[in-house]
Amino acid sequence: MKQIASFLVLSAIAVRAFSQEPTIKVNLDVTKPQFTVVKNNQATPVKNQGNSGTCWCFATTSLVESEMLSKKEKDPDLSEVYTVYNLYIDKAEKYIRRRGNTRFTEGGIQQDVLFSTDNFGSVPQEVYPGIGRDTVLNHDGEMETKLKAYLDNLLKSNPDTIPANWKVNFKSILNGYLGEPPATFNYNGKTYTPKSYAEQFVPSKLSSYIGLTSFKHHPYNTSFAIEVPDNYNSNMFYNLPLNEFIKSVKTAVMQGYTVAWDADVSNKGFQMKKGLAKWVDNDDELKDFAAFTEKVPTAEIRQDLFDRQVTQDDHLMQITGIAKDSKGNEYFVVKNSWGTGIGPLAGYIYVSMPYFAINTISVVVNKKAISPTLIAKAGE
């Protein structure tokens, strides 16, 4: 009972810490360093992506909702299922046109959500929660398998030409799992289409954001389509030296913006149950995980891990703030999409700067949070 009580107290502290001004101190363990939130940007409540590979959608949708909060929109809650539905169709079109020689999975990256908003609009969660509401995406893997099997059979059965009505059966599968999205809907007493709703309420367009990364296999201060499997749309990222990259993200957060973060979390240093992520270079560091001093990350180490595919883009989250421990070490405050029941921070986690430096694939952030000089250099 003591463990349960302690968890509830820490969760309550964490909720206050991430919803008020940064005056709350959070201690993960009374014997370990104390954490103080020094910058705390607005974010909507933590959601749960369930048993699905849609973290990219939840993380970036959360970023968009934070932008809506900054525009004084009350309690925004956008439908992730609507984005997933439309991007499955977009992926299918590309898969068919390329005769199967492209990616077709449940995965995606940050810009895909903004691309979807630009092209298909948005709808509130209450209007289109999908079949089963919060559990709708638990069958995402099963649905993806059926969708891909349909496309592969279509290509195999039609080696020379594709039937013009192929989307009918494809959408039938989608509708069976997700439900058919509305063409029009009523919201607050007015009738909208997804596009008209987005135009009025969602202040996020793909052209307003920039992707940033830091790798040595491309020249710094140039843009390239980052080579990760889920970048099916060949989205571009501006390549910065590591220190400049980290500084740009920290500056954006301190200026009041949140960040959509693509990273590797399938390593021993990402410990959601402890509410903490640190760069673990050897197992001895796990013995005193919260207190050990991390090594200094370098661009060379980062590149080596990426080249050997130790670092992969296996999860996306939202960076909402910055915290410091009692030694003065900085951490990003990160909102996850695994619900509020894992770890002491009610769905959040502190991510050390060395962990961020080593395990980050990329970020996407509002251009207003980036220096005009960098934007000009990027040709944005």
Side-chain angles (χ1 to χ4, degrees), residues 71-118:
K71 301 293 184 182
K72 309 302 182 183
E73 184 68 24
K74 184 180 179 181
D75 301 326
D77 187 3
L78 299 176
S79 170
E80 289 83 8
V81 181
Y82 181 76
T83 299
V84 170
Y85 185 103
N86 284 293
L87 288 185
Y88 263 123
I89 296 173
D90 183 64
K91 291 175 187 178
E93 289 178 344
K94 291 178 171 62
Y95 192 78
I96 290 296
R97 292 183 187 281
R98 295 167 181 168
R99 302 295 304 185
N101 294 305
T102 189
R103 183 86 163 168
F104 185 88
T105 69
E106 55 194 320
I109 61 174
Q110 304 99 315
Q111 289 100 324
D112 296 333
V113 175
L114 304 170
F115 167 85
S116 178
T117 302
D118 282 356

Side-chain angles (χ1 to χ4, degrees), residues 169-298:
N169 289 335
F170 185 85
K171 288 183 178 180
S172 178
I173 299 172
L174 277 175
N175 293 344
Y177 280 96
L178 304 182
E180 185 174 3
T184 62
F185 57 90
N186 292 321
Y187 180 72
N188 289 343
K190 294 184 178 180
T191 301
Y192 295 93
T193 67
K195 281 197 171 184
S196 67
Y197 173 81
E199 288 171 0
Q200 181 169 341
F201 294 101
V202 184
S204 303
K205 293 187 178 297
L206 182 56
S207 60
S208 299
Y209 290 79
I210 185 171
L212 301 175
T213 192
S214 179
F215 286 111
K216 292 173 68 68
H217 66 290
H218 287 277
Y220 290 137
N221 299 309
T222 63
S223 295
F224 70 98
I226 200 162
E227 304 97 335
V228 294
D230 286 332
N231 190 13
Y232 85 97
N233 260 332
S234 297
N235 295 296
M236 302 294 286
F237 293 82
Y238 190 68
N239 198 31
L240 288 169
L242 185 56
N243 289 340
E244 290 184 35
F245 173 62
I246 297 172
K247 180 181 178 181
S248 294
V249 178
K250 288 167 60 176
T251 299
V253 174
M254 292 303 294
Q255 288 182 348
Y257 291 86
T258 69
V259 178
W261 177 43
D262 187 3
D264 187 301
V265 303
S266 59
N267 56 73
K268 297 176 181 178
F270 190 87
Q271 299 202 11
M272 192 71 195
K273 290 182 179 179
K274 294 183 179 179
L276 189 61
K278 298 178 71 174
W279 176 31
V280 173
D281 192 45
N282 61 73
D283 288 349
D284 288 340
E285 295 167 336
L286 294 171
K287 297 175 183 178
D288 195 12
F289 180 70
F292 86 90
T293 300
E294 296 164 278
K295 296 180 177 63
V296 177
T298 67

Side-chain angles (χ1 to χ4, degrees), residues 117-133:
T117 302
D118 282 356
N119 288 275
F120 311 113
S122 298
V123 301
Q125 173 73 6
E126 66 184 71
V127 170
Y128 181 58
I131 296 173
R133 301 186 68 85

Side-chain angles (χ1 to χ4, degrees), residues 10 85 105 139 143 164 187 192-193 269 287 304 306 331 359 373:
L10 284 169
Y85 185 103
T105 69
H139 305 290
M143 178 178 66
Y187 180 72
Y192 295 93
T193 67
K287 297 175 183 178
D304 174 64
F306 181 73
Y331 297 75
N359 290 285
T373 301

